[in-house]
Structure formats: C-alpha cells, structure tokens
Amino acid sequence: MAVERTLSIIKPDAVANKFIGEIYSRFAANDLRIVAARMVHLNKEQAEKFYAIHKNRPFFAMLIEYMISDPVMVTVLEGEDAIAKYRTLMGATMPEFAAPGSIRYDLARDGRANENAVHGSDASETAAEEIKFFFKSEEIFDLKR
Ligand code: AMP
C-alpha cells in the first residue's frame, strides 16, 4: 500500500450541525493526517466547476444549491491507502444505505435526503485534481513527525 493524499469536504449540513470536530477525530483515529485545511463558502460558479462531471444529472441543481448553502471545510488527508480508507469511513453516497458506524450513517441519516455530510475523492487522478482545485502546493504541508 502506498501513502496517498485525498480531498475531503465537510459539507454545509455537517458544518452547520457542528460535526467538524467529530469528523476530524475520525481522521486521527484512522491514521489520516491533515496536511492542509480551510473553510470556504463556495459560490455557484465554483460549485458548478467542482461538480462539472455531474452537470447533466437530474440532481445537479439540487446539489449546487446544497453545496453553496453554507460554508464547507476543505481538507487534504494523507496516509496509507488514504483514498479507499476515507471512502470506507464516509460510507455509501446515500446515507440510508451507508454502513453503521460510517460518517454518513452516524451524522447524515437524520438530515435531508440529498445531504450526505462529506465528500471524498474517488481515485488518485480525481484526488490530484480536486486537491489542486482548492490548494496551492505551498498550502499543503509535509509533516516532519
Ligand atoms: P459524488 O461525486 O459521487 O460525491 O456525487 C456528488 C454528490 O451528488 C453526492 O455526494 C451527493 O451529495 C449528490 N448526489 C449523488 N447522487 C445523487 C442522487 N441520486 N440524488 C441526489 N443527490 C445525489
């Protein structure tokens, strides 16, 4: 297994519900180091660009409205097998299908149907693109210990 980096977004519902600390604790408990982080309130243009791949999907307008409704916390995670590990931690896209103990099961199941608390990159190419979308290389840190 290789050390990877992945992009996490703590979405507006989870930020508003004060779950940033809870989610960050799960990163630490799973050996995912935070190497960059920022709170940002996306505008429509940014959200549409980030989710451009979904622009023809029926849920696109609802997704954009949700993602710009409040600030989000963008974080770069680093660790062994970070991409797959974080996706397991998140659980299935739709909280009602997420495994018990996953972030979406624990923190998004009782919310609105389309609001699922977190985003995580799905592969190494998308992780690299998504990290670059939010962070310059000098904003990502190499932790020494
Ligand atoms: P993904 O790129 O897989 O994270 O998908 C983008 C986001 O779109 C998901 O995390 C959900 O917030 C939303 N989404 C995906 N599928 C649906 C759906 N069928 N209905 C509503 N929202 C969805």
Side-chain angles (χ1 to χ4, degrees):
M1 262 184 291
V3 173
E4 297 173 331
R5 285 178 174 173
T6 190
L7 183 83
S8 160
I9 304 179
I10 302 181
K11 295 184 177 183
D13 55 321
V15 171
N17 286 326
K18 308 184 189 73
F19 289 148
I20 295 172
E22 168 67 33
I23 293 170
Y24 270 27
S25 296
R26 293 180 187 217
F27 296 161
N30 287 277
D31 263 334
L32 292 168
R33 283 184 297 276
I34 293 167
V35 293
R38 184 184 325 117
M39 185 177 268
V40 46
H41 196 155
L42 294 171
N43 63 35
K44 192 162 182 272
E45 209 181 348
Q46 289 169 312
E48 286 178 349
K49 195 169 165 204
F50 184 80
Y51 279 121
I53 193 169
H54 295 309
K55 69 173 183 296
N56 295 320
R57 306 285 285 273
F59 58 82
F60 186 66
M62 205 165 68
L63 171 62
I64 299 306
E65 195 185 327
Y66 161 43
M67 289 303 293
I68 68 175
S69 63
D70 257 321
V72 299
M73 193 75 194
V74 288
T75 304
V76 179
L77 299 174
E78 182 184 82
E80 289 280 337
D81 204 21
I83 296 168
K85 190 190 258 186
Y86 177 44
R87 288 185 72 83
T88 302
L89 272 187
M90 290 195 298
T93 303
M94 295 299 154
E96 68 264 38
F97 299 121
S102 65
I103 291 171
R104 286 169 171 157
Y105 181 92
D106 291 341
L107 307 179
R109 217 163 20 113
D110 298 333
R112 293 182 201 159
N114 66 318
E115 302 196 349
N116 61 356
V118 279
H119 166 85
S121 311
D122 63 358
S124 56
E125 303 76 41
T126 39
E129 281 168 28
E130 291 178 1
I131 289 169
K132 218 156 109 191
F133 187 92
F134 286 106
F135 296 97
K136 300 185 188 119
S137 57
E138 64 267 30
E139 294 172 325
I140 304 170
F141 298 94
D142 284 316
L143 301 186
K144 300 278 183 285
R145 50 184 178 149

